[in-house]
Amino acid sequence: MLHDPALARAAQEQRPPSAVSSGVGFAGLAGVLLWIGIARWFGMDGPYSALMNLAFCGLPMVAWSVFVDKVHRSPSTGIDWSLKRDWRETFDVSLTKLSGLWVTWVGIAIVYGTLRFYWQGNYAFSMLVLGYAAPFVFLGAIPYIFWIDRKLIEPKDGAHALGAWLMNSAPADWPAINAHLRAWAVKGFFLAFMLAIVPPGFGDFIRADWRAVLADPVKLANWLITFMFVIDVAFATVGYVLTLRPLDSHIRSANPYAAGWTAALICYPPFVLMGPGAPLDYHPGTADWTHWLAGQPVLLALNGVLLVALTGIYAWATLAFGLRFSNLTHRGVLTHGPYAWSRHPAYLSKNLFWWCSTLPFLSTGNMVDAARATILMAVVAGIYYWRARTEEAHLGQDPAYQAYSQWMARHGPVPRFFAWLSGRGTA
């Protein structure tokens, strides 16, 4: 067949397909809105109501993924549903894999049980939930592994490699074992964090007095911001829970770079460097936007709208993942929604929100305090830029992400804007 340069250029100009459809995210959003309406009507603002919000978020997404998108048929699942292996064929593989999984989970449980940090504050709720869930997960893994291994094209994965090494039935496959442990380290660390922050924001949103909220633009803005975070946390938590091959939401790989882990972990407790009293705490000597714009109703309203919009973009970026949200992992390349505008819409909107809500260049102290706060916030922004670059180094190993990144350089509004701003033009 002759090569047609015009067709080649046209194909190059098309946005690469997204690993996730937009429908799955909106199905989850509909479920969240339904439960919020129920919880608000009946005054259910407690932690278990917040957990129900996760169920109402996740179940519609699972249904959409299976019955509409039919993700279970995707080649990227590694599943061949036509396989009809006898259970005896994969029995040893499944048993070895289970041993690797159980050892991994016991290791995570030991970390949880040893570190007092996980039994204080909001994390105590995480431990309560995970403690109740653990027996069901341990026992439920048995039928699931024996069933799925009969359909997997290659059932021997990192869990199997770990189990085989522990049972001395095969030499250690360290690349596979390390990849397995990295993936579960991500899930163990971030799932505990997400479960810890699920109840507070949900409760604050449900308990709000709507009459007071609607009568005050500032309260309305803060209430809507809380709502955006409720959406973000629900989708993110569901993403960490449902890492399953039949849903094509499994972890393809966890970031193998120490720089990537460092950049991410310093943004979360207990390693967070931006928290109160931490080295990058930019809050001393500052006041929020309502302080500086007090008595200016138009400016208050405009800044409130801006902050709500930025938080909305942040929540939209998480919603776009559907079932696949996760830090430090590759679970498919997104090219739709806000990811058609920017490679890192969540980081960009989050940092702009902090600048516009804190206004660090204004200080309740003196100019030195203002300069210090501004410099520290710039350093925080630099850390998120570092996170973005380490994520690109990881995802860039996938040709699909390379194609997306090249397309974004040519067509993405945000990359083109920054290229223009720096005088480089478009890539």
Side-chain angles (χ1 to χ4, degrees):
M1 184 167 61
L2 296 177
H3 175 69
D4 187 335
L7 289 177
R9 284 194 300 272
Q12 195 177 44
E13 296 307 305
Q14 293 178 357
R15 184 175 27 160
S18 183
V20 182
S21 76
S22 57
V24 65
F26 287 108
L29 179 60
V32 168
L33 294 176
L34 175 60
W35 180 251
I36 284 176
I38 295 172
R40 176 72 190 185
W41 181 265
F42 291 101
M44 295 184 291
D45 59 356
Y48 298 109
S49 180
L51 290 182
M52 281 298 298
N53 188 48
L54 302 183
F56 271 70
C57 177
L59 291 177
M61 288 198 287
V62 170
W64 186 281
S65 297
V66 173
F67 297 110
V68 179
D69 293 340
K70 303 186 187 304
V71 295
H72 57 291
R73 297 180 180 176
S74 173
S76 57
T77 62
I79 299 173
D80 182 352
W81 297 105
S82 65
L83 288 176
K84 297 180 179 179
R85 295 189 183 107
D86 186 88
W87 66 270
R88 296 175 185 84
E89 295 181 50
T90 56
F91 180 83
D92 289 343
V93 172
S94 299
L95 198 61
T96 303
K97 183 184 290 187
L98 278 171
S99 67
L101 277 176
W102 284 342
V103 167
T104 303
W105 294 343
V106 168
I108 293 173
I110 291 172
V111 172
Y112 286 157
T114 302
L115 302 181
R116 296 182 184 276
F117 168 78
Y118 283 113
W119 299 91
Q120 299 171 352
N122 293 334
Y123 273 92
F125 178 72
S126 296
M127 295 302 102
L128 177 67
V129 172
L130 293 173
Y132 278 116
F136 297 96
V137 173
F138 269 73
L139 296 177
I142 299 173
Y144 173 76
I145 294 298
F146 278 103
W147 166 71
I148 198 65
D149 279 354
R150 296 173 62 193
K151 301 295 182 180
L152 286 174
I153 297 171
E154 178 47 74
K156 294 183 178 180
D157 57 8
H160 177 272
L162 177 60
W165 174 63
L166 291 171
M167 293 190 294
N168 200 29
S169 62
D173 182 353
W174 289 115
I177 292 173
N178 290 336
H180 164 78
L181 294 177
R182 282 196 302 268
W184 277 100
V186 169
K187 190 166 182 175
F189 179 84
F190 286 104
L191 180 56
F193 170 74
M194 298 309 304
L195 287 172
I197 64 175
V198 162
F202 181 83
D204 290 343
F205 180 75
I206 297 299
R207 285 190 294 270
D209 183 344
W210 284 14
R211 287 174 294 185
V213 164
L214 295 176
D216 186 338
V218 172
K219 289 183 179 179
L220 177 60
N222 286 327
W223 184 71
L224 291 174
I225 289 169
T226 302
F227 173 54
M228 299 303 171
F229 281 117
V230 167
I231 295 172
D232 166 71
V233 170
F235 275 82
T237 308
V238 168
Y240 283 110
V241 172
L242 296 179
T243 51
L244 299 170
R245 281 188 177 273
L247 296 176
D248 199 26
S249 60
H250 58 290
I251 296 174
R252 276 72 165 168
S253 63
N255 197 312
Y257 303 114
W261 283 78
T262 302
L265 293 181
I266 61 178
C267 299
Y268 297 92
F271 311 106
V272 61
L273 295 183
M274 304 83 166
L280 299 182
D281 181 10
Y282 53 79
H283 293 96
T286 67
D288 70 8
W289 60 288
T290 58
H291 172 85
W292 299 112
L293 301 180
Q296 303 290 331
V298 175
L299 292 178
L300 277 171
L302 290 175
N303 203 60
V305 170
L306 175 61
L307 294 177
V308 171
L310 290 172
T311 318
I313 294 171
Y314 178 72
W316 184 23
T318 307
L319 183 149
F321 277 88
L323 295 170
R324 302 188 186 192
F325 180 86
S326 176
N327 284 293
L328 291 171
T329 61
H330 175 16
R331 297 173 69 182
V333 178
L334 303 186
T335 66
H336 69 293
Y339 292 92
W341 291 73
S342 168
R343 284 188 291 263
H344 304 282
Y347 295 165
L348 182 60
S349 59
K350 180 188 291 189
N351 278 274
L352 287 174
F353 176 91
W354 288 334
W355 282 93
C356 296
S357 61
T358 306
L359 303 174
F361 39 83
L362 301 176
S363 176
T364 56
N366 51 45
M367 292 185 64
V368 173
D369 292 327
R372 183 183 293 116
T374 303
I375 291 171
L376 288 174
M377 185 166 281
V379 173
V380 171
I383 288 174
Y384 276 86
Y385 176 77
W386 182 27
R387 285 185 67 177
R389 297 296 290 176
T390 59
E391 289 176 7
E392 290 173 6
H394 172 214
L395 297 176
Q397 299 173 12
D398 185 339
Y401 189 82
Q402 295 173 17
Y404 162 68
S405 186
Q406 293 165 8
W407 185 91
M408 284 295 294
R410 292 190 300 271
H411 302 286
V414 173
R416 285 169 60 88
F417 170 75
F418 280 112
W420 169 81
L421 198 64
S422 63
R424 292 183 286 107
T426 56

